[in-house]
Amino acid sequence: MLSSRVHLLPTTVQLVRSLISTSSRSFMDLKALLSSLNDFASLSFAESWDNVGLLVEPSPPHTVNTLFLTNDLTEEVMEEALQKKADLILSYHPPVFRPMKRITWKTWKERLVIKALENRVGIYSPHTAYDAAPQGVNSWLAKGLGACTSRPIHPSKAASCLTEGTHRVEFSVSHTQDLGKVISAVKGIAGVSVTSFSVRTEDEDQTRISLNCTQQALMEVVAFLSQNTQLYQKTEIVSLEKPLLLHTGMGRLCTLEESVSLATMVERIKRHLKLSHVRLALGVGRTLESQVKVVALCAGSGSRVLQGAEADLYLTGEMSHHDILDAASQGINVILCEHSNTERGFLSDLRDMLGAHLEKKINIILSETDRDPLHVV
């Protein structure tokens, strides 16, 4: 009997450990997780044309124990996610982009939706929200350049203005005019907020009226003021812009602390992206020994974002033939690494950042089958 007990002890210990592990495993409600993901990088950072956020949602309630990260959600990657018991797939590129008129077994993207719903797996895509985020894809890509300072090429704007309205209208009312009547009239227009303060101009005390107006209210305000030539001639109208967000936006313009040769920069980029080859277009009059001080970069497809940026080098995944010719004609070197090769490496950093942000409440795993579809042969 003693021998039998000793033999069973390791099995008992293993069972207890399993029970402890199961009981301590954390879950997050899908809605709570989505809120945390938005806190990490707001979907409002995304481009207006993009399709970001929760794309496929299992019927609620849905809890998430395993978050699966991939750059592209192909059918092969989906099978891997299902094998690894993923509850939510974070696919950097949105697998659902154009509207679907039907969900059948005919196309691979339709099949992705079917498999996700059948297996109760959600699909979430941040795409350009992560491109613009301060700690996002483009900032990660810039790490491969060496010590540098960077700023967005196209800064993002806040989701809303600090004040209400789209326009500000300002004018002055002298004390010889009926101040109370003017203020009463503009306050009666819907969509207008009014502030006033005393000013002294041309040795005369006046009251400065400042109105924040919606687009519709602006027309009514202008119609009222135009009835009084003296007021209307001194009216100023300013369009209110949403404030720019610090370190947030599309692309990065990076200034190196020390210039390096183009050949050195090529090797740095290959090492950072773990690539054996990249494509290089030399700018007119440039050689591999030409110095690089300023780099304009954009993960993925950079033609639109990089256009017009003043730099020694453009770094991106892909550009059109004619955009490359335009850049080269200006003496700008161009390095192309293939689209997703400039993005995929970010996911390792993302796993660590999300682990800390979510306080390790869920398992976060990287796809092992996700890869760029193009190969050098």
Side-chain angles (χ1 to χ4, degrees):
M1 289 296 292
L2 181 60
S3 174
S4 177
R5 288 176 182 170
V6 172
H7 178 70
L8 290 174
L9 185 58
T11 303
T12 304
V13 171
Q14 184 177 7
L15 178 60
V16 170
R17 285 176 177 169
S18 177
L19 289 172
I20 292 173
S21 175
T22 301
S23 63
S24 63
R25 184 181 297 166
S26 295
F27 295 85
M28 288 188 72
D29 176 74
L30 177 60
K31 290 185 178 179
L33 176 55
L34 294 177
S35 178
S36 292
L37 289 175
N38 197 64
D39 290 340
F40 173 75
S42 174
L43 293 177
S44 66
F45 296 161
E47 297 288 278
S48 59
W49 50 261
D50 208 356
N51 191 34
V52 296
L54 186 63
L55 306 183
V56 176
E57 179 182 11
S59 58
H62 185 64
T63 55
V64 177
N65 175 60
T66 298
L67 176 63
F68 182 89
L69 308 182
T70 183
N71 200 79
D72 292 294
L73 183 55
T74 62
E75 289 189 277
E76 183 183 10
V77 173
M78 172 61 84
E79 289 304 317
E80 180 194 3
L82 296 180
Q83 290 173 8
K84 294 180 177 177
K85 307 298 183 185
D87 303 296
L88 179 66
I89 297 171
L90 188 156
S91 176
Y92 167 74
H93 286 135
V96 179
F97 189 79
R98 296 182 180 88
M100 291 183 173
K101 293 186 176 181
R102 58 184 60 83
I103 305 296
T104 70
W105 205 248
K106 187 175 182 180
T107 68
W108 69 277
K109 290 192 174 183
E110 292 175 67
R111 291 194 292 271
L112 288 178
V113 175
I114 293 171
K115 289 181 179 179
L117 291 174
E118 286 181 340
N119 292 275
R120 293 189 55 75
V121 177
I123 300 176
Y124 175 92
S125 177
H127 201 203
T128 53
Y130 278 12
D131 288 347
Q135 74 282 30
V137 182
N138 284 306
S139 294
W140 166 82
L141 186 57
K143 290 181 181 179
L145 305 179
C148 64
T149 58
S150 68
R151 62 176 176 83
I153 297 174
H154 300 285
S156 296
K157 293 182 179 180
S160 60
C161 293
L162 296 176
T163 57
E164 296 180 2
T166 59
H167 292 79
R168 177 170 295 153
V169 180
E170 291 193 352
F171 57 92
S172 296
V173 179
S174 66
H175 287 277
T176 59
Q177 295 169 308
D178 193 338
L179 176 62
K181 182 178 179 181
V182 172
I183 292 180
S184 178
V186 293
K187 280 186 175 180
I189 300 174
V192 174
S193 60
V194 184
T195 57
S196 62
F197 50 93
S198 298
V199 294
R200 185 170 180 80
T201 58
E202 300 176 355
D203 296 326
E204 181 183 12
D205 290 330
Q206 295 184 332
T207 299
R208 188 72 173 168
I209 308 296
S210 179
L211 314 176
N212 281 359
C213 311
T214 62
Q215 182 71 44
Q216 183 176 355
L218 176 65
M219 304 310 297
E220 295 186 51
V221 169
V222 170
F224 167 73
L225 293 176
S226 63
Q227 298 173 17
N228 186 317
T229 305
Q230 188 176 358
L231 286 180
Y232 192 58
Q233 288 179 343
K234 297 182 179 181
T235 296
E236 297 177 357
I237 302 176
V238 178
S239 178
L240 297 178
E241 293 287 338
K242 297 174 182 177
L244 299 179
L245 298 176
L246 191 64
H247 307 308
T248 305
M250 303 306 295
R252 293 294 184 270
L253 191 66
C254 307
T255 303
L256 302 175
E257 289 185 2
E258 295 184 7
S259 299
V260 297
S261 69
L262 177 59
T264 297
M265 183 56 68
V266 168
E267 293 306 313
R268 286 183 180 180
I269 292 167
K270 287 162 64 175
R271 184 166 57 250
H272 183 57
L273 300 183
K274 298 180 173 59
L275 297 174
S276 57
H277 298 84
V278 295
R279 292 190 286 168
L280 171 65
L282 286 173
V284 172
R286 303 294 186 259
T287 70
L288 286 173
E289 296 309 312
S290 296
Q291 294 296 294
V292 173
K293 178 69 173 179
V294 179
V295 181
L297 61 84
C298 176
S301 180
S303 288
R304 181 181 61 84
V305 173
L306 298 178
Q307 189 174 27
E310 296 183 4
D312 304 308
L313 170 67
Y314 285 176
L315 169 62
T316 187
E318 58 180 332
M319 284 177 66
S320 75
H321 173 77
H322 296 287
D323 287 333
I324 295 170
L325 291 179
D326 286 342
S329 71
Q330 301 171 59
I332 301 172
N333 305 298
V334 178
I335 293 179
L336 304 182
C337 309
E338 307 309 343
H339 190 112
S340 68
N341 288 335
T342 57
E343 303 161 337
R344 185 169 288 102
F346 166 71
L347 295 181
S348 295
D349 281 14
L350 177 63
R351 176 185 55 191
D352 297 337
M353 288 188 289
L354 285 181
H357 181 71
L358 300 174
E359 300 175 338
K360 302 189 183 299
K361 292 178 181 177
I362 60 174
N363 301 321
I364 304 176
I365 57 178
L366 288 179
S367 172
E368 297 177 9
T369 56
D370 174 44
R371 61 180 62 87
D372 194 274
L374 292 172
H375 301 273
V376 177
V377 296

